[in-house]
Amino acid sequence: MPEDRSEPVVATPHGAVRGRYEHGVAVFRGIPYAAPPFGPRRFRPPEPPEPWDGVRDAGAFGPTPPKPPYSDAFAQYLSDPVVPGDDCLNLNVWTPAPDPGARLPVLVWFHGGALTRGSSAVPVYDGRAFARDGVVVVSVNYRLGVEGYGLFPDAPPNAGLRDQLAALRWVHEAVAAFGGDPGRVTLAGQSAGAISVGALIAAPQAQGLFRRAVLQSGPPEASERDKVRRMVRRMAARLKVPATAEGFAGVDRELLLRTQAEVGRLSSPVLGGPAFGIVADGDLVPRDPLDALVEGSVAVGAELLLGWTREEYRLWLVPGGLLERVDRLGAVALAGARARCRCGPEVARGYRALHPAARTAEVVGQMVTDHLLRVPLQRLADARVGSAYVYEFAWPSGLPELGACHALELGFVFDTGEVPESAKLAGEGAPQGLADAMHGAWVRFVSDGRAGWSAWDGRHPVRVFGETAEDGAVLPPYTALGPRDRELALWDGAGAAGVEASDSPEPELRGAELRSVIGRLRRSATVRRH
């Protein structure tokens, strides 16, 4: 197809699209990979888009899926653009060479946002630096919240995950025309996006559509079906409609979003309220993805890049002032953390012994972080000895109290520290050398499966990015051996039965008392997972 240097044109399975050259790379935005998921398609699996004649303009981001806005407390740190319209199952492509002969590695990006917020239009996810360095980037929108993860008796579950699978199939068919190699696809995501990647690499239907995977601050997991059902039932009660897809399909979209936000206001990792999540469905998700990957029921030979930030919990606790409230609750907060993590008193006691000078909120935050993220990610790495690479992001934000929090590494991975949206979380003056190091490691991994440090083995090598010296200077990346081993060893054998052990240094709690403690923590602030 003839190409204008300012407006490249590429053929896709459903019609031709015209992009733009920006910063020396070709960019195509808002390409439909599935039909609008509304009307008779609402709450149904994705269907192919209607083909179009002529050349479709792909110069602007397409519509974003329906989602409630972040609360004011979180909006000061996180950007979440809204693009109106129904055609929200779309994706974007950045490529250095829209030429079928280029055969470049491909990075497919799934955004975070607790499966309720976020989109591919977030400026931090701009793919131009990856394209500059020889990688084709595809970023994907998918259904969120009750539209994508509601659990109904009259509709298939996991619609949002099915959207992602449809996008992967589009990549497999179309990316070669954009210069990508469909045999060198890396799936990548952060937070809820990483949880999605974990489900996809364990999904039988996705095998053959990817070669590698990156999971940033999110493990493979399946949510409890009852927890998701509670979200739907509580929404149904407020809306006065049946808890069915048919009942919800008749509700105004904005009212549905407001109701979802009200019911889900306590759905943070620390508080553990009802939340939307991927569930085992016997089909796309036959069983818990982590168990499937660890026990080998899915023969996945993919190389993995796994990791976390040093202080994930600070994004969950700092907005809304919950950090200070947890400190004030003291021993009650520690007992609540035990209940949240379903562990015995020996775990909390062990964290206290390892970190005697730590604030209560820091102990609670690290316990929850390890329970939710580090323990399952290390379990996955243990099952992939020799082909998994593990990292920790340690650089503290320039903004008060945030530290090395959840999502802070994204501007460094994408090398987009110059955009204002990155500064909302990192503050001013983020070190470019750290971005060079992290972005470079991700480019290497996507290109050849090697991150640039030792693969996981019995020594537990972890690449530390952004460690700072006492004078504030950022140290070069280095590999630490087993830096989290002492904390993670505390979880060996820890279980729900231990919650009622009588030797606890915290108040003895059972049954309704445990629920009361969690309730006090939840009432202390309104927070939301990113």
Side-chain angles (χ1 to χ4, degrees):
M1 201 168 272
E3 177 188 315
D4 184 321
R5 180 61 192 172
S6 62
E7 295 189 341
V9 174
V10 171
T12 80
H14 307 107
V17 291
R18 177 182 291 109
R20 306 287 188 275
Y21 275 100
E22 301 173 6
H23 307 283
V25 303
V27 185
F28 302 81
R29 298 183 175 93
I31 304 172
Y33 67 85
F38 301 106
R41 302 187 190 94
R42 202 170 186 191
F43 303 110
R44 310 307 302 178
E47 299 178 7
E50 288 291 329
W52 58 89
D53 296 325
V55 179
R56 182 185 182 118
D57 186 70
F61 286 113
T64 51
K67 56 188 174 175
Y70 281 115
S71 67
D72 291 342
F74 279 84
Q76 65 179 309
Y77 300 117
L78 304 172
S79 296
D80 197 9
V82 172
V83 181
D86 287 352
D87 208 357
C88 60
L89 298 185
N90 58 70
L91 50 77
N92 319 296
V93 181
W94 285 261
T95 175
D99 175 359
R103 309 294 287 183
L104 298 169
V106 180
L107 173 69
V108 179
W109 177 254
F110 298 111
H111 65 81
L115 299 178
T116 58
R117 292 176 171 82
S119 77
S120 63
V122 174
V124 178
Y125 307 147
D126 191 293
R128 66 179 182 268
F130 277 105
R132 174 199 69 200
D133 295 332
V135 174
V136 176
V137 174
V138 181
S139 62
V140 179
N141 281 340
Y142 54 94
R143 277 175 283 181
L144 303 168
V146 72
E147 300 276 0
Y149 296 93
L151 192 54
F152 302 106
D154 54 340
N158 299 319
L161 189 68
R162 295 174 193 275
D163 294 342
Q164 296 172 353
L165 178 61
L168 282 185
R169 288 172 171 156
W170 183 97
V171 169
H172 189 71
E173 295 176 6
V175 80
F178 292 86
D181 183 349
R184 299 171 69 196
V185 172
T186 297
L187 309 187
Q190 184 266 346
S191 193
I195 292 170
S196 301
V197 169
L200 287 167
I201 63 176
Q205 293 95 319
Q207 303 312 302
L209 299 178
F210 65 91
R211 185 166 178 177
R212 304 181 179 102
V214 180
L215 286 77
Q216 299 175 212
S217 302
E221 67 177 23
S223 295
E224 298 173 15
R225 294 175 70 91
D226 187 59
K227 193 172 185 178
V228 180
R229 281 197 190 98
R230 288 203 305 273
M231 279 288 289
V232 173
R233 288 169 181 163
R234 291 179 186 184
M235 289 181 66
R238 290 192 180 218
L239 293 165
K240 297 180 172 57
V241 300
T244 62
E246 182 180 5
F248 274 58
V251 177
D252 173 78
R253 204 178 300 173
E254 292 303 316
L255 175 59
L256 199 63
L257 290 177
R258 289 196 301 272
T259 306
Q260 176 183 301
E262 291 166 3
V263 171
R265 64 189 179 87
L266 298 175
S267 303
S268 85
V270 175
L271 302 183
F276 290 111
I278 295 165
V279 297
D281 57 18
D283 174 29
L284 181 57
V285 187
R287 57 182 300 210
D288 182 279
L290 181 60
D291 290 342
L293 292 168
V294 168
E295 295 170 13
S297 61
V298 177
V300 178
E303 298 105 343
L304 302 177
L305 176 57
L306 316 169
W308 48 74
T309 70
R310 179 165 290 179
E311 299 168 295
E312 300 271 4
Y313 66 91
R314 287 184 175 270
L315 188 64
W316 308 330
L317 294 181
V318 170
L322 193 58
L323 195 75
E324 293 78 12
R325 292 184 175 99
V326 170
D327 271 338
R328 287 200 296 270
L329 285 169
V332 173
L334 281 171
R338 284 171 40 206
R340 172 71 182 94
C341 298
R342 302 178 181 179
C343 66
E346 70 281 358
V347 175
R349 190 164 55 237
Y351 276 83
R352 273 295 192 201
L354 290 173
H355 305 283
R359 298 163 56 181
T360 298
E362 293 170 342
V363 174
V364 167
Q366 292 293 11
M367 280 180 61
V368 173
T369 298
D370 288 350
H371 170 67
L372 293 178
L373 298 178
R374 295 191 183 110
V375 169
L377 285 174
Q378 180 160 316
R379 187 179 166 210
L380 180 57
D382 285 342
R384 291 290 184 272
V385 168
S387 62
Y389 299 85
V390 179
Y391 73 89
E392 177 170 296
F393 179 82
W395 183 78
S397 168
L399 300 179
E401 296 277 20
L402 283 181
C405 69
H406 193 64
L408 183 59
E409 87 283 11
L410 289 168
F412 297 87
V413 168
F414 280 87
D415 194 10
T416 51
E418 79 286 355
V419 303
E421 290 78 8
S422 287
K424 286 179 69 172
L425 196 58
E428 300 297 333
Q432 181 59 45
L434 178 56
D436 294 341
M438 287 200 79
H439 175 74
W442 266 241
V443 169
R444 285 192 299 273
F445 180 77
V446 172
S447 299
D448 64 16
R450 296 177 181 147
W453 62 91
S454 298
W456 190 259
D457 58 22
R459 301 171 302 155
H460 296 175
V462 176
R463 192 69 163 178
V464 179
F465 291 94
E467 186 79 72
T468 54
E470 290 185 4
D471 62 0
V474 181
L475 303 177
Y478 67 93
T479 300
L481 298 179
R484 297 281 172 183
D485 282 2
R486 294 187 303 169
E487 289 88 350
L488 299 187
L490 295 171
W491 297 91
D492 292 342
V499 172
E500 296 188 357
S502 60
D503 58 346
S504 169
E506 291 86 40
E508 186 66 16
L509 299 167
R510 291 178 175 83
E513 292 176 286
L514 275 174
R515 291 192 291 273
S516 176
V517 167
I518 294 292
R520 288 179 63 183
L521 286 171
R522 289 174 180 169
R523 289 191 296 272
S524 293
T526 298
V527 297
R528 179 162 293 281
R529 182 179 186 180
H530 173 63

Coordinates of all heavy atoms in Angstrom, one line a residue, residues 408-447:
L408 N 4.8 3.3 40.7 CA 5.8 4.3 40.5 C 6.8 4.0 39.4 O 7.4 4.8 38.7 CB 6.5 4.6 41.8 CG 7.6 5.7 41.8 CD1 7.0 7.0 41.4 CD2 8.2 5.8 43.2
E409 N 7.0 2.7 39.2 CA 8.0 2.3 38.2 C 7.6 2.4 36.8 O 8.4 2.4 35.8 CB 8.4 0.8 38.5 CG 7.5 -0.3 37.8 CD 6.2 -0.5 38.4 OE1 5.8 0.3 39.3 OE2 5.5 -1.4 38.0
L410 N 6.3 2.7 36.5 CA 5.8 2.7 35.1 C 6.5 3.8 34.3 O 6.8 3.5 33.1 CB 4.3 2.9 35.2 CG 3.5 1.7 35.7 CD1 2.0 2.1 35.9 CD2 3.6 0.5 34.7
G411 N 6.6 5.0 34.8 CA 7.3 6.0 34.0 C 8.7 5.7 33.7 O 9.3 6.2 32.7
F412 N 9.4 4.9 34.5 CA 10.7 4.5 34.2 C 10.8 3.3 33.2 O 11.6 3.3 32.3 CB 11.4 4.0 35.5 CG 11.5 5.2 36.5 CD1 10.5 5.4 37.4 CD2 12.7 6.0 36.5 CE1 10.6 6.5 38.3 CE2 12.8 7.0 37.4 CZ 11.7 7.3 38.3
V413 N 9.9 2.4 33.3 CA 9.8 1.3 32.3 C 9.5 1.8 30.9 O 10.1 1.4 29.9 CB 8.7 0.3 32.7 CG1 8.5 -0.7 31.6 CG2 9.2 -0.5 34.0
F414 N 8.5 2.7 30.8 CA 8.2 3.3 29.5 C 9.1 4.5 29.1 O 8.9 5.0 28.0 CB 6.7 3.7 29.5 CG 5.7 2.6 29.3 CD1 5.3 1.9 30.4 CD2 5.3 2.3 28.0 CE1 4.4 0.8 30.2 CE2 4.4 1.2 27.8 CZ 4.0 0.5 28.9
D415 N 10.0 4.9 30.0 CA 10.8 6.1 29.7 C 10.0 7.3 29.3 O 10.2 8.0 28.4 CB 11.9 5.8 28.6 CG 13.0 6.8 28.6 OD1 13.1 7.7 29.5 OD2 13.7 6.8 27.6
T416 N 9.0 7.5 30.2 CA 8.1 8.7 29.9 C 8.1 9.6 31.1 O 7.1 10.3 31.4 CB 6.6 8.2 29.7 OG1 6.2 7.3 30.7 CG2 6.5 7.5 28.3
G417 N 9.2 9.7 31.8 CA 9.3 10.6 32.9 C 9.1 12.1 32.6 O 8.8 12.8 33.5
E418 N 9.2 12.4 31.4 CA 9.0 13.9 31.0 C 7.6 14.3 30.9 O 7.3 15.5 30.9 CB 9.7 14.2 29.7 CG 9.0 13.8 28.4 CD 9.0 12.3 28.1 OE1 9.6 11.5 28.9 OE2 8.3 11.9 27.2
V419 N 6.6 13.3 30.9 CA 5.2 13.7 30.7 C 4.7 14.2 32.1 O 5.1 13.6 33.1 CB 4.4 12.6 30.1 CG1 5.0 12.2 28.7 CG2 4.3 11.4 31.0
P420 N 3.8 15.2 32.2 CA 3.3 15.6 33.5 C 2.7 14.5 34.3 O 2.7 14.6 35.5 CB 2.3 16.7 33.1 CG 2.8 17.2 31.7 CD 3.4 16.0 31.0
E421 N 2.0 13.6 33.6 CA 1.3 12.5 34.3 C 2.3 11.6 35.1 O 1.9 11.1 36.1 CB 0.5 11.7 33.3 CG -0.7 12.4 32.7 CD -0.3 13.4 31.7 OE1 0.8 13.4 31.2 OE2 -1.2 14.2 31.2
S422 N 3.5 11.5 34.7 CA 4.5 10.7 35.4 C 4.9 11.5 36.7 O 5.0 10.9 37.8 CB 5.7 10.5 34.6 OG 5.5 9.5 33.6
A423 N 5.0 12.8 36.6 CA 5.4 13.6 37.7 C 4.3 13.7 38.8 O 4.6 13.9 40.0 CB 5.7 15.1 37.2
K424 N 3.1 13.4 38.4 CA 2.0 13.4 39.4 C 2.3 12.3 40.5 O 1.9 12.5 41.7 CB 0.7 13.0 38.8 CG 0.1 14.2 38.0 CD -1.2 13.8 37.4 CE -2.3 13.6 38.4 NZ -3.7 13.4 37.8
L425 N 3.0 11.3 40.2 CA 3.3 10.2 41.1 C 4.8 10.3 41.6 O 5.1 9.9 42.7 CB 3.0 8.8 40.5 CG 2.9 7.6 41.4 CD1 1.8 7.9 42.5 CD2 2.6 6.4 40.6
A426 N 5.7 10.7 40.7 CA 7.1 10.6 41.0 C 7.6 11.9 41.5 O 8.7 12.0 42.2 CB 7.9 10.3 39.7
G427 N 6.9 13.0 41.3 CA 7.5 14.3 41.6 C 8.4 14.8 40.5 O 8.6 14.1 39.5
E428 N 9.0 16.0 40.7 CA 9.9 16.5 39.7 C 11.3 15.9 39.9 O 11.7 15.5 41.0 CB 10.0 18.1 39.9 CG 8.6 18.8 39.7 CD 8.1 18.6 38.3 OE1 8.9 18.4 37.3 OE2 6.8 18.6 38.2
G429 N 12.0 15.9 38.8 CA 13.4 15.5 38.8 C 13.7 14.1 38.9 O 14.7 13.6 39.5
A430 N 12.8 13.2 38.4 CA 13.0 11.8 38.4 C 14.3 11.5 37.6 O 14.6 12.0 36.6 CB 11.8 11.1 37.7
P431 N 15.2 10.6 38.1 CA 16.5 10.3 37.5 C 16.4 9.6 36.2 O 15.9 8.5 36.1 CB 17.2 9.5 38.6 CG 16.1 8.9 39.4 CD 15.0 9.8 39.4
Q432 N 16.9 10.3 35.1 CA 16.8 9.7 33.8 C 17.7 8.4 33.7 O 17.4 7.5 33.0 CB 17.3 10.7 32.8 CG 17.3 10.2 31.3 CD 15.9 9.7 30.9 OE1 14.9 10.4 31.1 NE2 15.8 8.6 30.2
G433 N 18.8 8.4 34.5 CA 19.7 7.2 34.4 C 18.9 5.9 34.9 O 19.1 4.8 34.4
L434 N 18.0 6.1 35.9 CA 17.2 5.0 36.3 C 16.3 4.5 35.2 O 16.1 3.3 35.0 CB 16.5 5.3 37.6 CG 15.5 4.3 38.2 CD1 16.3 3.0 38.5 CD2 14.9 4.9 39.5
A435 N 15.7 5.5 34.5 CA 14.8 5.1 33.4 C 15.6 4.4 32.3 O 15.1 3.4 31.7 CB 14.1 6.4 32.8
D436 N 16.8 4.9 32.0 CA 17.6 4.2 31.0 C 17.9 2.7 31.4 O 17.8 1.8 30.6 CB 18.9 4.9 30.9 CG 18.8 6.3 30.3 OD1 17.7 6.6 29.7 OD2 19.7 7.1 30.5
A437 N 18.1 2.5 32.7 CA 18.5 1.1 33.1 C 17.2 0.2 33.1 O 17.3 -0.9 32.6 CB 19.0 1.2 34.6
M438 N 16.1 0.7 33.6 CA 14.9 -0.1 33.6 C 14.4 -0.4 32.2 O 14.1 -1.5 31.8 CB 13.8 0.5 34.5 CG 14.1 0.4 36.0 SD 12.6 0.6 37.0 CE 11.8 -1.0 36.9
H439 N 14.2 0.7 31.5 CA 13.7 0.6 30.1 C 14.6 -0.3 29.3 O 14.1 -1.2 28.6 CB 13.6 2.0 29.5 CG 13.1 1.9 28.1 ND1 11.9 1.7 27.7 CD2 13.9 2.2 26.9 CE1 11.8 1.7 26.4 NE2 13.0 2.0 25.9
G440 N 15.9 -0.2 29.5 CA 16.8 -1.0 28.7 C 16.7 -2.5 29.1 O 16.7 -3.4 28.2
A441 N 16.4 -2.8 30.3 CA 16.3 -4.2 30.8 C 15.0 -4.8 30.1 O 15.0 -5.9 29.7 CB 16.2 -4.3 32.3
W442 N 13.9 -4.0 30.1 CA 12.7 -4.5 29.5 C 12.8 -4.7 28.0 O 12.3 -5.6 27.4 CB 11.5 -3.5 29.8 CG 10.7 -3.8 31.0 CD1 9.4 -4.0 31.0 CD2 11.1 -3.8 32.4 NE1 8.9 -4.2 32.3 CE2 10.0 -4.1 33.2 CE3 12.3 -3.6 33.0 CZ2 10.0 -4.2 34.5 CZ3 12.4 -3.8 34.4 CH2 11.3 -4.1 35.1
V443 N 13.6 -3.8 27.3 CA 13.8 -3.9 25.9 C 14.6 -5.2 25.6 O 14.3 -6.0 24.7 CB 14.5 -2.7 25.3 CG1 15.0 -3.0 23.9 CG2 13.6 -1.5 25.3
R444 N 15.6 -5.5 26.4 CA 16.4 -6.7 26.3 C 15.5 -7.9 26.5 O 15.6 -8.9 25.7 CB 17.6 -6.7 27.2 CG 18.7 -5.8 26.9 CD 19.9 -6.1 27.8 NE 19.7 -5.9 29.2 CZ 19.8 -4.8 29.8 NH1 20.2 -3.7 29.2 NH2 19.6 -4.7 31.1
F445 N 14.7 -7.9 27.5 CA 13.9 -9.1 27.8 C 12.9 -9.3 26.6 O 12.7 -10.5 26.2 CB 13.1 -8.9 29.1 CG 12.3 -10.1 29.4 CD1 12.8 -11.2 30.0 CD2 10.9 -10.0 29.2 CE1 12.0 -12.3 30.2 CE2 10.1 -11.1 29.5 CZ 10.6 -12.2 30.0
V446 N 12.2 -8.3 26.2 CA 11.3 -8.4 25.1 C 12.0 -8.9 23.8 O 11.4 -9.7 23.0 CB 10.5 -7.1 24.8 CG1 9.7 -7.2 23.6 CG2 9.7 -6.7 26.0
S447 N 13.2 -8.5 23.6 CA 13.9 -8.8 22.4 C 14.5 -10.2 22.4 O 14.4 -10.9 21.3 CB 15.1 -7.8 22.2 OG 14.6 -6.5 22.1

